[in-house]
Coordinates of all heavy atoms in Angstrom, one line a residue:
M77 N -46.9 -2.2 18.7 CA -46.7 -2.3 17.3 C -45.7 -1.2 16.8 O -44.8 -1.5 16.0 CB -48.0 -2.1 16.6 CG -48.0 -2.2 15.1 SD -47.6 -3.9 14.7 CE -47.6 -3.8 13.0
K78 N -45.9 0.0 17.3 CA -45.0 1.1 16.9 C -43.6 0.9 17.4 O -42.6 1.1 16.7 CB -45.5 2.5 17.4 CG -46.7 2.9 16.7 CD -47.2 4.3 17.3 CE -48.5 4.7 16.6 NZ -48.9 6.0 17.2
L79 N -43.5 0.3 18.6 CA -42.2 0.0 19.2 C -41.5 -1.1 18.4 O -40.3 -1.0 18.2 CB -42.4 -0.4 20.7 CG -41.1 -0.6 21.5 CD1 -40.3 0.6 21.5 CD2 -41.5 -1.1 22.8
T80 N -42.2 -2.0 17.9 CA -41.6 -3.1 17.1 C -41.1 -2.6 15.8 O -39.9 -2.9 15.4 CB -42.7 -4.2 16.8 OG1 -43.2 -4.6 18.1 CG2 -42.0 -5.4 16.1
I81 N -41.8 -1.7 15.2 CA -41.4 -1.1 13.9 C -40.1 -0.2 14.1 O -39.2 -0.3 13.4 CB -42.5 -0.3 13.3 CG1 -43.6 -1.2 12.8 CG2 -42.0 0.5 12.1 CD1 -44.9 -0.5 12.3
L82 N -40.2 0.6 15.2 CA -39.0 1.4 15.5 C -37.8 0.6 15.8 O -36.7 0.9 15.4 CB -39.4 2.3 16.7 CG -38.3 3.3 17.2 CD1 -38.0 4.3 16.1 CD2 -38.7 4.0 18.5
A83 N -37.9 -0.5 16.6 CA -36.8 -1.3 16.9 C -36.2 -2.0 15.6 O -35.0 -2.1 15.5 CB -37.2 -2.4 17.9
S84 N -37.1 -2.4 14.7 CA -36.6 -3.0 13.5 C -35.9 -2.0 12.6 O -34.9 -2.3 11.9 CB -37.7 -3.7 12.7 OG -38.7 -2.8 12.3
L85 N -36.4 -0.8 12.6 CA -35.7 0.3 11.8 C -34.3 0.6 12.4 O -33.4 0.8 11.6 CB -36.6 1.5 11.8 CG -37.8 1.5 10.9 CD1 -38.6 2.8 11.0 CD2 -37.3 1.4 9.4
L86 N -34.2 0.7 13.7 CA -32.9 0.9 14.3 C -32.0 -0.2 14.1 O -30.8 0.0 13.9 CB -33.1 1.2 15.8 CG -33.8 2.5 16.2 CD1 -34.0 2.6 17.7 CD2 -33.0 3.7 15.7
A87 N -32.4 -1.4 14.1 CA -31.6 -2.6 13.8 C -31.1 -2.6 12.4 O -29.9 -2.9 12.1 CB -32.3 -3.9 14.1
S88 N -31.9 -2.2 11.5 CA -31.5 -2.2 10.1 C -30.5 -1.0 9.8 O -29.6 -1.1 9.0 CB -32.7 -2.1 9.1 OG -33.4 -0.8 9.3
V89 N -30.7 0.1 10.5 CA -29.8 1.2 10.3 C -28.4 0.9 10.9 O -27.4 1.2 10.4 CB -30.4 2.5 11.0 CG1 -29.3 3.6 11.1 CG2 -31.6 3.0 10.2
A90 N -28.4 0.2 12.0 CA -27.2 -0.2 12.7 C -26.4 -1.2 11.8 O -25.2 -1.2 11.9 CB -27.4 -0.8 14.0
A91 N -27.1 -1.9 11.0 CA -26.4 -2.9 10.1 C -25.5 -2.2 9.0 O -24.6 -2.7 8.5 CB -27.4 -3.8 9.4
F92 N -25.9 -0.9 8.7 CA -25.2 -0.2 7.7 C -24.2 0.8 8.2 O -23.6 1.5 7.5 CB -26.1 0.5 6.7 CG -27.0 -0.5 5.9 CD1 -28.3 -0.7 6.2 CD2 -26.4 -1.2 4.8 CE1 -29.0 -1.6 5.5 CE2 -27.1 -2.1 4.1 CZ -28.4 -2.3 4.4
A93 N -24.0 0.8 9.5 CA -23.1 1.8 10.1 C -21.7 1.2 10.0 O -21.5 0.0 10.1 CB -23.4 2.0 11.6
P94 N -20.7 2.1 9.8 CA -19.3 1.6 9.6 C -18.8 1.0 11.0 O -19.0 1.6 12.0 CB -18.5 2.8 9.2 CG -19.3 3.9 9.6 CD -20.8 3.5 9.6
A95 N -18.1 -0.1 10.9 CA -17.6 -0.7 12.1 C -16.2 -0.1 12.3 O -15.4 0.0 11.4 CB -17.5 -2.2 12.0
S96 N -15.8 0.2 13.5 CA -14.5 0.7 13.8 C -13.6 -0.5 14.0 O -13.9 -1.5 14.8 CB -14.5 1.5 15.1 OG -14.8 0.8 16.2
T97 N -12.5 -0.5 13.3 CA -11.6 -1.7 13.4 C -10.4 -1.4 14.3 O -9.7 -2.4 14.7 CB -11.0 -2.0 12.0 OG1 -10.3 -0.8 11.5 CG2 -12.1 -2.4 11.0
G98 N -10.2 -0.2 14.7 CA -9.1 0.1 15.6 C -7.7 0.0 15.0 O -6.7 -0.1 15.6
R99 N -7.7 0.1 13.6 CA -6.4 0.0 12.9 C -5.7 1.4 13.0 O -6.4 2.4 12.9 CB -6.6 -0.3 11.5 CG -7.1 -1.7 11.3 CD -7.2 -2.0 9.8 NE -8.0 -3.2 9.6 CZ -8.3 -3.6 8.4 NH1 -7.8 -3.0 7.3 NH2 -9.0 -4.7 8.2
V100 N -4.4 1.3 12.9 CA -3.6 2.6 12.9 C -2.9 2.5 11.5 O -2.3 1.5 11.2 CB -2.6 2.6 14.0 CG1 -1.7 3.8 13.9 CG2 -3.4 2.6 15.4
S101 N -3.1 3.6 10.8 CA -2.4 3.6 9.5 C -1.0 4.1 9.6 O -0.7 4.9 10.5 CB -3.1 4.5 8.5 OG -3.1 5.8 9.0
S102 N -0.1 3.4 8.9 CA 1.3 3.8 8.9 C 1.8 4.0 7.5 O 1.4 3.4 6.6 CB 2.2 2.8 9.6 OG 2.1 1.6 8.9
Q103 N 2.7 5.0 7.3 CA 3.2 5.3 6.0 C 4.6 4.8 5.9 O 5.4 5.1 6.8 CB 3.1 6.8 5.8 CG 3.6 7.2 4.4 CD 3.5 8.7 4.1 OE1 3.0 9.4 5.0 NE2 3.9 9.1 3.0
V104 N 4.9 4.1 4.9 CA 6.2 3.6 4.7 C 6.9 4.4 3.5 O 6.4 4.4 2.4 CB 6.2 2.1 4.3 CG1 7.6 1.6 4.0 CG2 5.6 1.3 5.4
S105 N 7.9 5.2 3.9 CA 8.6 6.0 2.9 C 10.0 5.4 2.8 O 10.7 5.5 3.7 CB 8.6 7.4 3.2 OG 7.3 7.9 3.3
E106 N 10.3 4.8 1.6 CA 11.6 4.3 1.4 C 12.3 5.0 0.2 O 11.6 5.4 -0.7 CB 11.6 2.8 1.2 CG 11.2 2.1 2.5 CD 11.4 0.6 2.3 OE1 11.8 0.1 1.3 OE2 11.1 -0.1 3.3
T107 N 13.6 5.1 0.3 CA 14.3 5.7 -0.8 C 15.0 4.5 -1.5 O 15.0 3.4 -1.1 CB 15.4 6.6 -0.3 OG1 16.3 5.9 0.6 CG2 14.7 7.8 0.5
K108 N 15.7 4.9 -2.6 CA 16.4 3.9 -3.4 C 17.5 3.2 -2.6 O 17.8 2.0 -2.6 CB 17.0 4.5 -4.7 CG 17.6 3.5 -5.6 CD 18.1 4.2 -6.8 CE 18.9 3.2 -7.7 NZ 19.4 3.8 -8.9
G109 N 18.2 4.0 -1.7 CA 19.2 3.5 -0.8 C 18.7 2.5 0.1 O 19.3 1.5 0.4
D110 N 17.5 2.7 0.7 CA 16.8 1.7 1.5 C 16.5 0.4 0.8 O 16.7 -0.7 1.3 CB 15.5 2.3 2.1 CG 15.8 3.4 3.1 OD1 16.9 3.5 3.6 OD2 14.9 4.2 3.3
L111 N 16.1 0.5 -0.5 CA 15.8 -0.7 -1.3 C 17.1 -1.4 -1.5 O 17.1 -2.7 -1.5 CB 15.2 -0.3 -2.6 CG 13.7 0.3 -2.5 CD1 13.3 0.6 -3.9 CD2 12.8 -0.8 -1.9
Q112 N 18.2 -0.7 -1.8 CA 19.5 -1.4 -2.1 C 20.0 -2.1 -0.8 O 20.5 -3.2 -0.9 CB 20.5 -0.4 -2.6 CG 20.2 0.1 -4.0 CD 21.1 1.2 -4.4 OE1 21.7 1.9 -3.6 NE2 21.1 1.5 -5.7
D113 N 19.8 -1.5 0.3 CA 20.3 -2.2 1.6 C 19.4 -3.4 1.9 O 20.0 -4.4 2.3 CB 20.2 -1.2 2.8 CG 21.2 0.0 2.7 OD1 22.2 -0.2 1.9 OD2 20.9 1.0 3.3
L114 N 18.1 -3.3 1.7 CA 17.2 -4.4 2.0 C 17.5 -5.5 1.0 O 17.5 -6.7 1.4 CB 15.8 -3.9 1.9 CG 14.7 -5.0 2.2 CD1 14.8 -5.4 3.6 CD2 13.3 -4.4 1.9
A115 N 17.7 -5.2 -0.3 CA 18.0 -6.3 -1.3 C 19.3 -7.0 -1.0 O 19.4 -8.2 -1.2 CB 18.0 -5.6 -2.7
G116 N 20.3 -6.3 -0.5 CA 21.6 -6.9 -0.2 C 21.4 -7.9 1.0 O 22.1 -8.9 1.0
K117 N 20.6 -7.5 1.9 CA 20.3 -8.4 3.1 C 19.5 -9.6 2.7 O 19.8 -10.7 3.2 CB 19.6 -7.7 4.2 CG 20.5 -6.6 4.9 CD 19.7 -5.8 5.9 CE 20.4 -4.6 6.4 NZ 19.6 -3.8 7.3
L118 N 18.5 -9.4 1.9 CA 17.6 -10.5 1.5 C 18.2 -11.5 0.5 O 17.9 -12.7 0.6 CB 16.3 -10.0 1.0 CG 15.4 -9.2 2.0 CD1 14.2 -8.6 1.4 CD2 15.1 -10.0 3.2
N119 N 19.0 -11.0 -0.4 CA 19.6 -11.9 -1.4 C 21.0 -11.4 -1.7 O 21.2 -10.6 -2.6 CB 18.7 -11.9 -2.7 CG 19.1 -12.9 -3.7 OD1 20.2 -13.6 -3.5 ND2 18.3 -13.1 -4.7
P120 N 22.0 -11.9 -0.9 CA 23.3 -11.5 -1.1 C 24.0 -11.8 -2.5 O 25.0 -11.2 -2.8 CB 24.1 -12.1 0.1 CG 23.2 -13.1 0.6 CD 21.8 -12.9 0.1
V121 N 23.4 -12.8 -3.2 CA 24.0 -13.2 -4.5 C 23.6 -12.1 -5.5 O 24.4 -11.6 -6.3 CB 23.5 -14.6 -4.9 CG1 24.0 -14.9 -6.3 CG2 23.9 -15.6 -3.9
V122 N 22.3 -11.8 -5.7 CA 21.8 -10.9 -6.7 C 22.0 -9.4 -6.2 O 22.2 -8.6 -7.0 CB 20.4 -11.2 -7.1 CG1 19.9 -10.2 -8.1 CG2 20.3 -12.6 -7.6
K123 N 21.7 -9.2 -5.0 CA 21.7 -7.9 -4.4 C 20.6 -7.0 -5.0 O 19.5 -7.5 -5.2 CB 23.0 -7.2 -4.4 CG 24.0 -8.0 -3.6 CD 25.3 -7.3 -3.5 CE 26.2 -8.1 -2.6 NZ 27.5 -7.6 -2.5
Y124 N 20.9 -5.8 -5.4 CA 19.9 -4.9 -6.0 C 19.7 -5.1 -7.5 O 20.7 -5.1 -8.2 CB 20.2 -3.5 -5.7 CG 19.2 -2.5 -6.2 CD1 18.0 -2.4 -5.5 CD2 19.5 -1.7 -7.3 CE1 17.0 -1.4 -6.0 CE2 18.5 -0.8 -7.7 CZ 17.3 -0.7 -7.1 OH 16.4 0.2 -7.5
F125 N 18.5 -5.4 -8.0 CA 18.3 -5.6 -9.4 C 17.1 -4.8 -9.9 O 16.0 -5.2 -9.5 CB 18.1 -7.1 -9.6 CG 17.9 -7.5 -11.1 CD1 18.9 -7.4 -12.0 CD2 16.7 -8.0 -11.5 CE1 18.8 -7.8 -13.3 CE2 16.5 -8.3 -12.8 CZ 17.5 -8.2 -13.7
D126 N 17.3 -3.8 -10.6 CA 16.2 -3.0 -11.1 C 16.5 -2.6 -12.6 O 17.0 -1.5 -12.9 CB 16.1 -1.7 -10.3 CG 14.9 -0.9 -10.7 OD1 14.0 -1.4 -11.4 OD2 14.8 0.3 -10.3
P127 N 16.3 -3.6 -13.5 CA 16.7 -3.4 -14.9 C 15.9 -2.3 -15.6 O 16.5 -1.7 -16.6 CB 16.5 -4.7 -15.6 CG 15.4 -5.4 -14.7 CD 15.7 -4.9 -13.3
L128 N 14.7 -2.0 -15.2 CA 13.9 -1.0 -15.8 C 14.1 0.4 -15.2 O 13.6 1.4 -15.6 CB 12.5 -1.3 -15.8 CG 12.1 -2.6 -16.6 CD1 10.6 -2.9 -16.4 CD2 12.4 -2.4 -18.0
E129 N 14.9 0.4 -14.1 CA 15.2 1.6 -13.3 C 13.9 2.3 -12.9 O 13.8 3.6 -13.0 CB 16.1 2.6 -14.1 CG 17.4 2.0 -14.4 CD 18.3 2.9 -15.3 OE1 17.9 4.0 -15.6 OE2 19.5 2.5 -15.6
L130 N 13.0 1.6 -12.4 CA 11.7 2.1 -11.9 C 11.9 2.9 -10.6 O 11.1 3.8 -10.4 CB 10.7 1.0 -11.7 CG 10.2 0.3 -13.0 CD1 9.3 -0.9 -12.7 CD2 9.5 1.3 -13.9
A131 N 12.8 2.5 -9.8 CA 13.1 3.3 -8.6 C 13.6 4.7 -8.8 O 13.5 5.6 -8.0 CB 14.0 2.5 -7.7
D132 N 14.1 4.9 -10.0 CA 14.6 6.3 -10.3 C 13.6 7.1 -11.0 O 13.8 8.3 -11.2 CB 15.8 6.1 -11.3 CG 17.0 5.5 -10.6 OD1 17.2 5.7 -9.4 OD2 17.8 4.8 -11.3
S133 N 12.4 6.6 -11.3 CA 11.4 7.4 -12.0 C 10.6 8.2 -11.1 O 10.6 7.9 -9.9 CB 10.5 6.4 -12.8 OG 9.8 5.5 -12.0
Y134 N 9.9 9.2 -11.6 CA 9.0 10.0 -10.8 C 7.7 10.0 -11.5 O 7.4 10.6 -12.5 CB 9.6 11.5 -10.8 CG 10.9 11.6 -10.1 CD1 12.1 11.5 -10.7 CD2 10.9 11.7 -8.7 CE1 13.3 11.6 -10.1 CE2 12.1 11.8 -8.0 CZ 13.3 11.8 -8.7 OH 14.5 11.9 -8.0
M135 N 6.8 9.1 -11.0 CA 5.5 9.0 -11.5 C 4.5 10.1 -11.2 O 4.5 10.5 -10.0 CB 4.9 7.6 -11.1 CG 5.6 6.5 -11.6 SD 4.8 4.9 -11.2 CE 5.8 3.8 -12.0
W136 N 3.8 10.6 -12.1 CA 2.8 11.6 -12.0 C 3.3 12.9 -11.3 O 2.6 13.6 -10.5 CB 1.6 11.1 -11.2 CG 0.9 10.0 -11.9 CD1 0.2 10.0 -13.1 CD2 1.0 8.6 -11.6 NE1 -0.2 8.8 -13.5 CE2 0.3 7.9 -12.6 CE3 1.6 7.9 -10.6 CZ2 0.2 6.5 -12.6 CZ3 1.5 6.5 -10.6 CH2 0.8 5.9 -11.5
G137 N 4.6 13.2 -11.5 CA 5.1 14.4 -10.9 C 5.4 14.4 -9.4 O 5.6 15.4 -8.8
Q138 N 5.3 13.2 -8.8 CA 5.5 13.0 -7.4 C 7.0 12.7 -7.1 O 7.8 12.5 -8.1 CB 4.6 11.9 -6.9 CG 3.2 12.1 -7.1 CD 2.6 13.2 -6.2 OE1 3.1 13.4 -5.1 NE2 1.6 13.9 -6.6
D139 N 7.3 12.6 -5.9 CA 8.7 12.3 -5.5 C 9.0 10.8 -5.6 O 8.2 10.0 -5.9 CB 9.1 12.9 -4.2 CG 8.2 12.3 -3.0 OD1 7.2 11.6 -3.4 OD2 8.6 12.5 -1.9
Q140 N 10.3 10.5 -5.3 CA 10.8 9.1 -5.5 C 10.1 8.2 -4.4 O 9.8 7.1 -4.7 CB 12.3 9.1 -5.3 CG 12.9 7.8 -5.7 CD 14.4 7.9 -5.5 OE1 14.9 8.4 -4.6 NE2 15.1 7.3 -6.5
A141 N 9.9 8.7 -3.2 CA 9.2 7.9 -2.2 C 7.8 7.5 -2.6 O 7.3 6.4 -2.3 CB 9.2 8.7 -0.9
F142 N 7.1 8.4 -3.2 CA 5.7 8.1 -3.7 C 5.8 7.0 -4.8 O 5.0 6.1 -4.8 CB 5.1 9.4 -4.3 CG 3.7 9.1 -5.0 CD1 2.6 9.1 -4.2 CD2 3.7 8.9 -6.3 CE1 1.4 8.8 -4.8 CE2 2.4 8.7 -6.9 CZ 1.3 8.6 -6.2
T143 N 6.7 7.1 -5.7 CA 6.8 6.2 -6.8 C 7.1 4.8 -6.2 O 6.5 3.8 -6.6 CB 8.0 6.6 -7.8 OG1 7.6 7.9 -8.3 CG2 8.1 5.6 -8.9
I144 N 8.1 4.7 -5.3 CA 8.4 3.4 -4.7 C 7.2 2.8 -3.9 O 6.9 1.7 -4.0 CB 9.6 3.5 -3.8 CG1 10.9 3.8 -4.6 CG2 9.8 2.3 -2.9 CD1 12.1 4.2 -3.8
G145 N 6.5 3.7 -3.2 CA 5.3 3.3 -2.5 C 4.2 2.8 -3.4 O 3.5 1.8 -3.2
F146 N 4.0 3.5 -4.6 CA 3.0 3.1 -5.5 C 3.3 1.7 -6.1 O 2.5 0.9 -6.3 CB 2.9 4.2 -6.6 CG 2.0 3.7 -7.7 CD1 0.6 3.9 -7.6 CD2 2.5 3.2 -8.9 CE1 -0.3 3.5 -8.6 CE2 1.6 2.8 -9.9 CZ 0.2 2.9 -9.8
L147 N 4.6 1.6 -6.5 CA 5.0 0.3 -7.1 C 4.9 -0.9 -6.1 O 4.5 -2.0 -6.4 CB 6.4 0.4 -7.6 CG 6.6 1.3 -8.8 CD1 8.1 1.5 -9.2 CD2 5.8 0.9 -10.0
R148 N 5.2 -0.6 -4.8 CA 5.1 -1.6 -3.8 C 3.6 -2.0 -3.6 O 3.3 -3.2 -3.5 CB 5.6 -1.1 -2.5 CG 5.4 -2.1 -1.4 CD 6.1 -1.7 -0.1 NE 7.5 -1.9 -0.4 CZ 8.4 -1.7 0.5 NH1 8.1 -1.4 1.7 NH2 9.7 -1.9 0.2
Q149 N 2.7 -1.0 -3.6 CA 1.3 -1.3 -3.5 C 0.8 -2.1 -4.7 O -0.1 -3.0 -4.5 CB 0.5 0.0 -3.3 CG -1.0 -0.2 -3.2 CD -1.4 -1.0 -2.0 OE1 -0.7 -1.0 -0.9 NE2 -2.4 -1.8 -2.1
A150 N 1.2 -1.8 -5.9 CA 0.8 -2.5 -7.1 C 1.3 -3.9 -7.0 O 0.5 -4.8 -7.4 CB 1.4 -1.8 -8.3
E151 N 2.5 -4.2 -6.5 CA 2.9 -5.6 -6.4 C 2.1 -6.3 -5.3 O 1.8 -7.5 -5.6 CB 4.4 -5.6 -6.0 CG 5.3 -5.1 -7.1 CD 6.8 -5.2 -6.8 OE1 7.1 -5.3 -5.6 OE2 7.6 -5.1 -7.7
I152 N 1.8 -5.7 -4.3 CA 1.0 -6.4 -3.2 C -0.4 -6.6 -3.8 O -1.0 -7.7 -3.7 CB 0.9 -5.5 -2.0 CG1 2.2 -5.5 -1.3 CG2 -0.2 -6.0 -1.0 CD1 2.3 -4.5 -0.2
K153 N -1.0 -5.7 -4.5 CA -2.3 -5.8 -5.1 C -2.4 -6.9 -6.1 O -3.4 -7.7 -6.1 CB -2.8 -4.5 -5.7 CG -4.1 -4.5 -6.4 CD -4.5 -3.2 -7.0 CE -5.8 -3.2 -7.7 NZ -6.1 -2.0 -8.3
H154 N -1.4 -7.1 -6.9 CA -1.4 -8.1 -8.0 C -0.7 -9.4 -7.6 O -0.5 -10.2 -8.5 CB -0.8 -7.5 -9.2 CG -1.6 -6.3 -9.7 ND1 -2.9 -6.4 -10.3 CD2 -1.3 -5.0 -9.8 CE1 -3.3 -5.2 -10.6 NE2 -2.4 -4.3 -10.3
G155 N -0.4 -9.5 -6.3 CA 0.1 -10.8 -5.8 C 1.5 -11.1 -6.2 O 1.9 -12.3 -6.3
R156 N 2.4 -10.2 -6.3 CA 3.8 -10.4 -6.7 C 4.6 -10.5 -5.4 O 5.8 -10.7 -5.6 CB 4.3 -9.4 -7.7 CG 3.6 -9.5 -9.0 CD 4.2 -8.6 -10.0 NE 3.3 -8.5 -11.1 CZ 2.6 -7.4 -11.5 NH1 2.8 -6.3 -10.8 NH2 1.9 -7.4 -12.5
V157 N 4.1 -10.2 -4.3 CA 4.9 -10.3 -3.0 C 4.4 -11.4 -2.2 O 3.3 -11.7 -2.1 CB 4.7 -8.9 -2.3 CG1 5.4 -9.0 -0.9 CG2 5.3 -7.8 -3.1

């Protein structure tokens, strides 16, 4: 009886343990120049188009690479990519 209770407790604890996914995180740091090059390759007619000049802004006192990364993540999160 004690063994059964112990086994059920261990099984329930294992259900809440984090699973290792084996993912490797990578950081993408791009500058405005990288965005301009990529835009020229992807759409040679329009090329680079940033009417609000968001790539030139510095959000929350961070550098330009942080701002571009934040905006890219927001576009992915909200389904614009």
Side-chain angles (χ1 to χ4, degrees):
M77 181 69 178
K78 291 180 183 179
L79 185 60
T80 307
I81 294 172
L82 180 63
S84 65
L85 284 175
L86 289 176
S88 65
V89 169
F92 294 104
S96 65
T97 58
R99 294 185 196 175
V100 177
S101 64
S102 62
Q103 182 178 0
V104 177
S105 298
E106 291 190 358
T107 62
K108 184 178 176 182
D110 294 336
L111 290 177
Q112 290 172 340
D113 293 340
L114 184 62
K117 292 176 187 175
L118 295 176
N119 191 348
V121 175
V122 177
K123 296 188 180 177
Y124 182 73
F125 182 69
D126 186 15
L128 298 177
E129 298 180 1
L130 293 174
D132 292 328
S133 63
Y134 295 94
M135 295 184 175
W136 299 287
Q138 300 289 330
D139 61 347
Q140 192 178 42
F142 174 83
T143 301
I144 292 171
F146 174 80
L147 293 173
R148 174 173 291 186
Q149 179 61 32
E151 289 180 347
I152 291 170
K153 178 180 179 181
H154 298 290
R156 295 186 192 112
V157 173

